[in-house]
Amino acid sequence: ERESQQAAAAMLKKKFANASLPVMPSVTHIVPLLVGCPVKAKKISDILLAEYGLYVQPINFPTVPRGTERLRFTPGPCHSAEMMDELTQALVEIWGRLDLQLAA
């Protein structure tokens, strides 16, 4: 189960990176996506839940330093590649809607 969770996390990190989403480095099963603004992190979380039925937790100060606010994804062994594709597409759409910077 742990190996499957690590594989799911690696897959999601790769999908985010391929979509130019600002995925942060992580060696754990947690996949952090840098937003850099507490208001926008909460807004993205709210949009994902209201419009896509997806829950993601925004992480803000004091848990992380100001300016490094992020979304914390924790994919599990039951999350399919198709589910991750839907999430990635939703995030790309939201990133554009909120005029956020994609990764270089």
Side-chain angles (χ1 to χ4, degrees), residues 1 4-9 11 74-84:
E1 191 172 324
S4 294
Q5 185 171 39
Q6 288 294 331
M11 181 187 304
T74 310
C78 295
H79 289 107
S80 68
E82 292 78 19
M83 294 167 123
M84 292 183 205

Side-chain angles (χ1 to χ4, degrees), residues 36-92:
C37 170
V39 174
K40 289 187 178 182
K42 175 74 166 99
K43 180 72 174 171
I44 295 166
S45 176
D46 290 346
I47 292 170
L48 283 171
L49 186 58
E51 297 180 21
Y52 296 92
L54 302 170
Y55 174 74
V56 61
Q57 185 175 12
I59 308 297
N60 298 312
F61 178 83
T63 304
V64 298
R66 292 186 205 286
T68 66
E69 294 83 6
R70 62 199 74 178
L71 300 171
R72 186 177 95 180
F73 297 88
T74 310
C78 295
H79 289 107
S80 68
E82 292 78 19
M83 294 167 123
M84 292 183 205
D85 286 339
E86 289 175 17
L87 170 63
T88 302
Q89 290 169 3
L91 287 166
V92 167

